[in-house]
Amino acid sequence: MSLPPLSRSAETAVGCACAAAARTSAGGGEPDGSAGRFGPTHALILLIAVLGLGSTLFLAGTELDTVFALLGGCGAIGAATLTAAGGGRRLMTVLVEAAVRSGAGK
């Protein structure tokens, strides 16, 4: 048994609901841009995650210096990711240069 092909209009060709929501949020063309921004809710979630991870590592018997080093590394990776994703190439360049200079002892 073979089924006839379904006809699709341009309106039903949306791949997911998020594309349809983005199209309707800004009046048809571009998304409004607020969905990709780092907001206070994201900061609160990250704060709770860092505090929870640090407390768990400390209660598991990890030395405090190691906990701070691990959480500092996670924070640095997160800040670099947000800076790169946000288009802050100039800030990223300054931070990398400062890290290289401090590592070189200058």
Side-chain angles (χ1 to χ4, degrees):
M1 170 187 338
S2 104
L3 297 174
L6 295 175
S7 63
R8 292 187 176 190
S9 66
E11 197 61 38
T12 60
V14 175
C16 67
C18 59
R23 186 182 313 152
T24 57
S25 65
E30 297 291 322
D32 61 358
S34 64
R37 296 184 190 239
F38 184 76
T41 305
H42 299 104
L44 178 65
I45 291 170
L46 289 175
L47 176 67
I48 291 170
V50 165
L51 291 175
L53 179 62
S55 298
T56 304
L57 287 171
F58 180 71
L59 291 175
T62 308
E63 294 181 17
L64 205 53
D65 293 339
T66 307
V67 171
F68 288 143
L70 288 171
L71 293 180
C74 290
I77 291 170
T81 303
L82 286 175
T83 302
R89 290 184 185 96
R90 183 174 180 189
L91 176 62
M92 186 91 155
T93 304
V94 170
L95 291 175
V96 169
E97 286 178 3
V100 169
R101 287 182 183 162
S102 69
K106 292 183 180 181

